[in-house]
């Protein structure tokens, strides 16, 4: 069972970037989506998403905009920037390389 | 990382803090409400729904703090808080703060003044094109060459793109009839301005073509200052006639305001071609004399030529010349190039030594100030043990406390530096307004500039480390329990920081007070010993003054020689009881000694009234 502290920082970044790569989303929706898509395996302590979101925003990988959400309340929606899209691609590549390597090690031994 | 975005976000974090704070709360609030609503829809009772939502989100204020940190400006914000706190702490002990700031202001002010001197005089470059390629010719400890030697050097060398020669001489300048002023300026070779690569403020400079025929081109370039003061900034000054030592010259140009010649501390007011020497110095023939070494030479190195290569080339020429003129040049003659601006090595050497001595004294004073302050802070640190103890007990990190205490030291240092800079500014103004009681226009104006300001800031940071580090570390070594009980703690150990500081302080004080007194004693001993071995002619200096009458007139030398005894000079006779005229050429204007009438005493430096009241010449 993955708890937030078990999520390597880089991994959380990757999850966030991947989640909002389809459409702009607010923090609540991102948290829900990660839990839902991972089949309840990745239980993120929801509040801890925000420091990561703010850091990614500060670094210019994602940008934020205040919009009305589905329940007509104002929410902060995050979307990938052009730089963020490139970053996501390289992060995904990295992830596959790393997990393949680990997989190889595990299978060989 | 997209740096543009990072910078934009950093600026936003710095200047829109309030808005970001509101948004941060709104964002968490939205999340919470959304979660609660979802739970309510799932059928939970309201209380339960809220608690479940809070559990899911986690510790909100901690997460918000992390969000703030992730904005990248935590450093600034913490610093700002530290500065505010430090200011409050310093205000609470006004006496300590005032003493510290005054101590530092004296130390930093002294160093800033010294550095202003060094920067303005030793580090300043001539205001010309590519000043680093200019080199002044020194030869075996002397800086002068004769005109024929200069021509040989100019024409035979392969290392200079230009080699100019010039000489600093006073003239009597007459702008209007019967009105003379004594000004100093250059007789310069025709390539002088080409070599410098500068532009005039008005008109033009003279070139090599105006320097090839002796006496042919009576043209003069005047300084911006002379144009302003003597010509009332006349825009039609070009083409006007002025008399230099009685010989008419035509003004062809005005130099730019920042350019006062190629010697930084001598400000020139005019430039005439060297070929006009005979007009300005009637009866002199030194342009043809190889033994009359009247010129300074300044060369512009060709691109890529090293100083050593240029020196080797000059020495080669000197060898050749020594073969032809063995009585003028020695075969062992060696040329040496130096940075221009201070008469080559002749002034640069002594001024550098002087600057180094001043820097040393300044550093000593500052060190002493730092040691003093370190002592004061150490005393204060024992007062602050309790505060530090409480903060440590509340979980403050040592690094955080270290930063806080050092901020306090930095604030002190910066306040001291600001006051010191103001002091230095005043000191420089006093120094600038001081005029040497000499006939030569020495430029003593020094002004702090941006480089000096950077220096002061650097000194402030250095002093912070110097006086703040030890006391701060000592404060942080506080043992928690005794400090909270306000017990004396670890003060009974043998040699502590405080003892070291006191020892250092005594050592520095003794040396800084004894070195100047030793120097003074040595100087005075030397003076008296000279006095004893070469006693001056016994005379009563009272009521004697040396005065110098400039008798340049362009008239025949024989007339000039008799002029001190001319009827007009004799008009002063009632006030002068006797006059001594040293023998020698009048052209070089030796000082005359005048004994004023007994009732006519004057103070040192004051001109006797008979000189003020009568126009002697």
């Amino acid at each position: 069972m993955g708890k937030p502290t078990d999520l390597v920082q880089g991994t959380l970044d990757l999850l966030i970037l991947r989640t909002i790569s389809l459409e702009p989303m607010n923090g609540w929706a991102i948290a829900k989506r990660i839990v839902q898509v991972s089949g309840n395996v990745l239980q993120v302590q929801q509040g801890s998403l925000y420091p990561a979101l703010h850091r990614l925003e500060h670094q210019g990988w994602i940008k934020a905009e205040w919009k009305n959400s589905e329940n007509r309340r104002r929410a902060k929606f995050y979307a990938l920037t052009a730089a963020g899209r490139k970053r996501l691609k390289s992060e995904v590549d990295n992830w596959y390389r790393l997990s393949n390597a680990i997989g190889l090690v595990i299978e060989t031994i | 990382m997209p740096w543009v975005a990072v910078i934009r976000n950093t600026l936003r974090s710095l200047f829109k803090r309030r808005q970001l704070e509101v948004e941060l709360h709104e964002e968490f609030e939205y999340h919470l409400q959304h979660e609660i609503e979802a739970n309510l829809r799932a059928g939970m009772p309201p209380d339960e729904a809220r608690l479940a939502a809070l559990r899911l989100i986690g510790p909100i204020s901690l997460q918000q703090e992390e969000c703030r940190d992730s904005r990248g400006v935590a450093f600034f914000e913490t610093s700002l808080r530290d500065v505010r706190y430090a200011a409050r702490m310093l205000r609470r002990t006004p006496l300590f703060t005032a003493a510290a700031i005054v101590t530092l202001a004296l130390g930093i002010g002294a160093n800033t003044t010294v550095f202003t001197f060094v920067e303005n005089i030793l580090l300043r470059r001539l205001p010309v094109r590519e000043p680093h390629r200019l080199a002044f010719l020194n030869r075996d400890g002397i800086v002068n060459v004769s005109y024929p030697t200069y021509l040989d050097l100019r024409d035979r060398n392969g290392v200079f793109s230009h080699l100019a020669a010039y000489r600093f001489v006073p003239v009597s300048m007459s702008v209007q009839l019967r009105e003379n002023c004594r000004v100093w300026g250059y007789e310069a070779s025709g390539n002088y301005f080409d070599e410098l690569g500068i532009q005039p403020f008005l008109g033009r400079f003279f070139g090599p073509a105006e320097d090839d025929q002796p006496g042919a081109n009576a043209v003069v370039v005047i300084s911006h200052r002379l144009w302003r003061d003597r010509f009332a900034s006349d825009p039609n000054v070009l083409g006007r006639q002025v008399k230099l030592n009685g010989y008419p010259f035509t003004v062809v140009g005005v130099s730019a305001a920042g350019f006062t010649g190629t010697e930084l501390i001598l400000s020139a007011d005019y430039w005439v071609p060297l070929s006009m020497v005979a007009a300005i110095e009637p009866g002199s023939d030194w342009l043809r004399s190889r033994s009359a070494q009247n010129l300074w030479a300044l060369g512009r190195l060709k691109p890529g030529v090293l100083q050593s290569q240029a020196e080797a080339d000059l020495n080669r020429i000197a060898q050749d010349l020594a073969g032809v003129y063995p009585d003028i040049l020695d075969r062992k003659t060696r040329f040496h190039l130096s940075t221009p601006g201070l008469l080559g090595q002749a002034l640069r050497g002594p001024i550098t030594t002087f600057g180094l001595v001043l820097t040393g004294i300044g550093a000593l004073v500052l060190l002493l100030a730092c040691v003093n302050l370190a002592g004061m802070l150490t005393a204060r640190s024992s007062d602050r043990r309790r505060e530090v103890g409480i903060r440590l007990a509340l979980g403050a990190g040592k690094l955080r406390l270290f930063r806080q205490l050092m901020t306090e030291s930095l604030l002190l240092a910066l306040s001291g530096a600001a006051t010191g800079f103001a002091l230095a500014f005043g000191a420089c103004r006093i120094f600038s307004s001081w005029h040497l009681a000499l006939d030569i226009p020495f430029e003593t104006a020094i002004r702090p500039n941006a480089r000096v300001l950077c220096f002061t800031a650097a000194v402030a940071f250095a002093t912070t480390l110097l006086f703040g580090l030890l006391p701060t570390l000592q404060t942080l070594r506080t043992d928690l329990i005794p400090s909270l009980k306000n017990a004396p703690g670890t003060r009974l150990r043998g040699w502590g920081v405080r003892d070291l500081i006191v020892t250092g302080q005594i050592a520095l004080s003794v040396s800084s007070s004894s070195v100047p007194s030793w120097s003074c004693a040595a100087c005075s001993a030397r003076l008296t010993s000279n006095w004893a071995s070469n006693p001056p002619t016994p005379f009563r200096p009272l009521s004697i003054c040396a005065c110098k009458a400039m008798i340049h007139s362009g008239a025949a030398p024989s007339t000039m020689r008799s002029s001190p005894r001319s009827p007009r000079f004799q008009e002063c006779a009632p006030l002068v009881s006797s006059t001594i005229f040293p023998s020698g050429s009048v052209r070089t204007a030796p000082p005359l000694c005048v004994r004023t009438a007994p009732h006519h005493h004057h103070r040192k430096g004051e001109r006797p009234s008979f000189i003020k009241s009568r126009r002697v010449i």
Side-chain angles (χ1 to χ4, degrees):
Chain A
M1 275 289 145
K3 274 195 196 156
T5 42
D6 294 344
L7 278 174
V8 187
Q9 192 185 50
T11 322
L12 183 58
D13 287 2
L14 173 61
L15 290 179
I16 291 172
L17 291 175
R18 180 73 188 95
T19 311
I20 62 171
S21 67
L22 301 175
E23 52 170 348
M25 290 172 111
N26 61 51
W28 183 81
I30 297 172
K32 283 280 167 285
R33 178 70 65 87
I34 291 177
V35 175
Q36 184 192 356
V37 171
S38 69
N40 283 335
V41 174
L42 296 172
Q43 290 280 354
V44 180
Q45 196 181 39
Q46 295 185 355
S48 63
L49 264 184
Y50 288 99
L53 280 169
H54 283 227
R55 194 184 59 250
L56 288 170
E57 185 192 352
H58 176 76
Q59 293 170 343
W61 307 124
I62 63 179
K63 56 181 188 251
E65 198 183 347
W66 286 87
K67 282 195 290 200
N68 279 339
S69 68
E70 66 272 23
N71 58 4
R72 274 187 236 100
R73 251 207 308 255
R74 251 163 60 83
K76 200 175 174 189
F77 279 79
Y78 295 92
L80 281 186
T81 62
R85 207 162 281 284
K86 270 187 226 145
R87 163 102 182 180
L88 171 61
K89 193 175 160 348
S90 71
E91 291 270 308
V92 169
D93 291 350
N94 266 343
W95 173 258
Y96 279 128
R97 202 165 340 138
L98 190 67
S99 54
N100 277 343
I102 292 173
L104 280 175
V105 171
I106 292 168
E107 281 168 24
T108 316
I109 296 168
Chain B
M1 213 182 274
W3 288 108
V4 181
V6 173
I7 292 167
R8 196 182 51 226
N9 289 333
T10 306
L11 289 178
R12 206 165 71 103
S13 319
L14 274 178
F15 296 109
K16 299 243 165 122
R17 259 175 62 203
R18 202 154 295 164
Q19 189 194 336
L20 286 176
E21 201 56 25
V22 170
E23 286 182 2
L24 182 66
H25 283 283
E26 207 178 325
E27 193 174 17
F28 274 85
E29 188 59 30
Y30 171 85
H31 194 124
L32 184 63
Q33 292 304 331
H34 214 301
E35 196 62 45
I36 292 174
E37 277 166 24
N39 288 346
L40 285 174
R41 271 201 300 276
M44 285 190 197
D47 286 0
E48 184 66 17
R50 186 175 169 79
L51 282 176
L54 283 174
R55 258 200 311 277
L56 195 61
I57 296 177
I60 289 183
S61 38
L62 194 69
Q63 286 155 353
Q64 287 182 336
E65 197 54 42
E66 278 179 41
C67 286
R68 286 185 199 109
D69 285 350
S70 68
R71 278 182 211 153
V73 289
F75 181 82
F76 294 102
E77 288 177 349
T78 313
S79 302
L80 201 66
R81 258 204 310 273
D82 280 357
V83 167
R84 283 206 201 106
Y85 181 78
R88 270 209 306 278
M89 288 308 288
L90 292 178
R91 259 209 307 274
R92 263 178 45 186
T93 49
L95 266 181
F96 164 81
T97 308
I101 290 180
V102 167
T103 310
L104 278 171
L106 288 176
I108 295 179
N111 279 276
T112 304
T113 312
V114 171
F115 183 74
T116 309
F117 169 78
V118 169
E119 201 277 338
N120 274 219
I121 292 180
L122 287 172
L123 302 182
R124 192 153 58 115
R125 300 250 190 197
L126 290 174
V128 299
R129 182 168 51 87
E130 297 181 61
H132 58 275
R133 276 175 49 207
L134 289 183
F136 190 98
L137 267 62
N138 303 271
R139 174 167 59 89
D140 297 336
I142 34 175
V143 292
N144 302 33
V145 290
S146 69
Y147 189 64
T149 306
Y150 156 69
L151 289 182
D152 286 329
L153 292 174
R154 185 190 71 185
D155 298 338
R156 294 194 202 176
N157 84 76
V159 288
F160 293 113
S161 60
H162 294 87
L163 182 65
Y166 56 98
R167 160 177 161 84
F168 194 56
V169 280
V171 296
S172 168
M173 179 181 277
S174 166
V175 178
Q176 281 156 352
L177 199 63
R178 298 187 65 78
E179 193 179 276
N180 285 290
C181 60
R182 183 172 150 79
V183 294
W184 287 74
Y186 288 168
E187 296 164 351
S189 59
N191 57 358
Y192 178 80
F193 291 108
D194 288 353
E195 170 174 337
L196 299 181
I198 52 173
Q199 293 302 317
F201 176 72
L202 277 181
R204 61 180 179 87
F205 292 133
F206 52 81
E210 284 162 295
D211 191 35
D212 51 359
Q213 291 282 328
N217 294 290
V219 292
V220 60
V221 173
I222 58 174
S223 74
H224 191 273
R225 185 178 63 179
L226 192 81
W227 175 68
R228 191 191 60 206
D229 295 348
R230 289 276 159 187
F231 292 83
S233 305
D234 177 9
N236 301 316
V237 68
L238 302 178
R240 269 181 74 170
Q241 295 255 315
V242 293
K243 284 189 175 174
L244 303 184
N245 286 350
Y247 195 93
F249 279 77
T250 308
V251 177
V252 294
V254 177
S255 74
F259 181 73
T260 56
T262 31
E263 300 302 331
L264 289 170
I265 60 165
L266 300 174
S267 49
D269 275 325
Y270 74 89
W271 291 261
V272 296
L274 257 182
S275 57
M276 297 307 294
V277 161
I280 289 192
E281 305 172 39
S284 68
D285 198 20
W286 57 262
L287 280 186
R288 265 178 285 183
S289 160
R290 209 167 264 277
S291 57
Q293 298 177 335
N294 276 343
L295 290 168
W296 300 325
L298 182 67
R300 178 175 286 278
L301 292 170
K302 285 181 180 167
V305 172
L306 298 176
Q307 184 178 328
S308 53
Q309 292 170 330
E311 284 169 355
D313 196 44
L314 289 172
N315 290 336
R316 173 186 62 79
I317 302 169
Q319 288 281 310
D320 294 350
L321 290 179
V324 190
Y325 312 103
D327 48 337
I328 303 292
L329 278 170
D330 197 331
R331 277 195 181 279
K332 280 179 258 163
T333 293
R334 286 289 169 271
F335 276 96
H336 166 65
L337 298 178
S338 63
T339 313
L342 293 173
L343 286 187
Q345 280 309 98
L347 272 183
R348 187 170 290 277
I351 291 182
T352 306
T353 315
F354 182 60
L356 280 176
V357 170
L358 281 187
T359 309
I361 294 175
L364 203 64
V365 168
L366 186 63
L367 199 58
L368 201 58
C370 284
V371 172
N372 265 325
L373 209 56
M376 282 157 75
L377 279 173
T378 313
R380 195 170 132 99
S381 83
S382 35
D383 296 341
R384 294 190 66 173
R385 284 240 167 83
R386 199 174 152 78
E387 176 204 334
V388 169
I390 291 175
R391 294 177 67 177
L392 284 175
L394 288 175
K398 283 217 167 176
L399 204 63
R400 187 72 195 77
L401 277 179
F402 174 78
R403 194 171 153 192
Q404 162 67 57
L405 290 170
M406 285 310 275
T407 305
E408 252 178 77
S409 298
L410 186 64
L411 196 64
L412 269 182
L414 287 179
S415 315
T419 321
F421 192 77
L423 281 181
F425 203 83
C428 289
R429 289 205 41 177
I430 292 173
F431 185 77
S432 302
S433 66
W434 169 63
H435 291 293
L436 284 175
L438 281 178
D439 178 34
I440 303 171
F442 272 117
E443 190 60 65
T444 52
I446 56 171
R447 252 189 316 274
N449 52 21
R451 243 158 107 180
V452 174
L453 197 62
C454 290
F455 170 83
T456 311
V459 168
F461 283 102
T463 48
T464 309
L465 288 183
L466 218 54
F467 73 76
L469 202 55
L470 273 181
T472 302
L473 289 180
Q474 213 203 1
T475 313
L476 289 182
R477 247 192 2 226
T478 307
D479 290 328
L480 203 51
I481 305 306
S483 74
L484 287 180
K485 288 183 188 155
N486 224 357
T490 53
R491 278 169 68 179
L492 293 171
R493 279 177 309 128
W495 276 63
V497 176
R498 204 191 280 202
D499 304 292
L500 284 179
I501 288 176
V502 168
T503 316
Q505 205 170 347
I506 292 171
L508 277 180
S509 303
V510 167
S511 60
S512 66
S513 58
S514 54
V515 166
S517 56
W518 285 341
S519 315
C520 289
C523 282
S524 106
R526 195 172 164 77
L527 280 178
T528 20
S529 75
N530 272 0
W531 200 262
S533 54
N534 300 314
T537 325
F539 68 94
R540 287 177 44 225
L542 195 68
S543 81
I544 288 189
C545 71
C547 71
K548 200 168 177 179
M550 296 310 294
I551 312 168
H552 291 312
S553 67
S558 57
T559 331
M560 285 160 58
R561 208 156 276 138
S562 66
S563 58
R565 294 177 185 82
S566 74
R568 295 179 74 179
F569 196 81
Q570 297 300 320
E571 284 172 32
C572 308
L575 293 173
V576 181
S577 64
S578 62
T579 320
I580 307 162
F581 294 106
S583 58
S585 156
V586 176
R587 191 174 59 73
T588 57
L592 336 162
C593 284
V594 214
R595 183 183 284 275
T596 52
H599 60 276
H600 205 84
H601 292 171
H602 60 91
R603 284 203 303 273
K604 200 178 168 193
E606 185 194 29
R607 284 198 287 178
S609 57
F610 74 88
I611 292 182
K612 278 187 213 154
S613 57
R614 313 254 168 174
R615 182 157 289 178
V616 174
I617 304 152

